[in-house]
Amino acid sequence: MGIAEEPGAAMGIAVALVRSSFLVDAVYAAAAREHGLTPQQGQLLCVLMPGARGMGELGAMLGLAKSSLTGLVDRTSERGLVRRAACPGDARTVRAELTAKGARVAEEFYAATSRRVEELSATLDLADREVLAELLARVVTANEVPAVFSDPEE
């Protein structure tokens, strides 16, 4: 993946976080390709795993303008993974939800992505992995990162 530094070389927090982001993005994109998805389609499926969401909520979670979100939902819908449905109690509001096929693909993609991302920390012992998870969770929580990828069981 490029030129590596000495094992254990000192790295500042900004460099470590940015480079970690690139690493996770690459793994996420590879898992998406394996499932015939774009990374954005993978994000959409994962966001919809807990249940249907309104288009405004989706746009805010994914950081997409209305036109970009509409295109993403259209392309994913054409593949039979997502469908639009009226919001109960307000027929004017449209929600996106997974189809049965979409739910199956989302679960497979989520499992493969989780496995690959967890493998990135395989060189750490269990205690270090737990500390890393706790520290990253604090950074994510403090910065109010939307739950674009979360444990569907929670």
Side-chain angles (χ1 to χ4, degrees):
M1 256 196 143
I3 300 170
E5 282 105 14
E6 293 285 322
M11 189 179 299
I13 190 71
V15 171
L17 285 173
V18 169
R19 290 174 70 179
S20 296
S21 172
F22 273 85
L23 180 60
V24 171
D25 284 349
V27 168
Y28 195 91
R33 276 192 306 277
E34 263 186 19
H35 290 83
L37 302 168
T38 66
Q40 295 77 20
Q41 288 171 337
Q43 282 182 333
L44 177 63
L45 296 182
C46 287
V47 166
L48 293 174
M49 284 178 75
R53 296 191 187 267
M55 296 296 278
E57 181 184 10
L58 281 174
M61 287 183 81
L62 297 173
L64 295 174
K66 185 177 180 180
S67 61
S68 297
L69 178 63
T70 298
L72 174 61
V73 171
D74 286 347
R75 289 185 299 279
T76 312
S77 179
E78 289 167 4
R79 298 193 50 210
L81 303 173
V82 170
R83 69 175 152 254
R84 287 180 173 84
C87 182
D90 186 359
R92 298 169 298 161
T93 304
V94 175
R95 300 184 317 165
E97 62 186 14
L98 294 174
T99 62
K101 177 182 175 183
R104 187 178 67 254
V105 171
E107 288 174 18
E108 292 169 1
F109 170 71
Y110 178 88
T113 302
S114 294
R115 179 183 38 74
R116 285 173 168 234
V117 171
E118 285 186 21
E119 288 171 359
L120 296 175
S121 63
T123 59
L124 302 176
D125 64 30
L126 181 60
D128 284 344
R129 289 169 63 119
E130 289 173 353
V131 169
L132 178 61
E134 193 230 321
L135 293 173
L136 289 173
R138 286 172 39 197
V139 169
V140 166
T141 301
N143 288 280
E144 299 177 4
V145 177
V148 294
F149 195 87
S150 58
D151 188 342
E153 303 298 316
E154 292 179 351

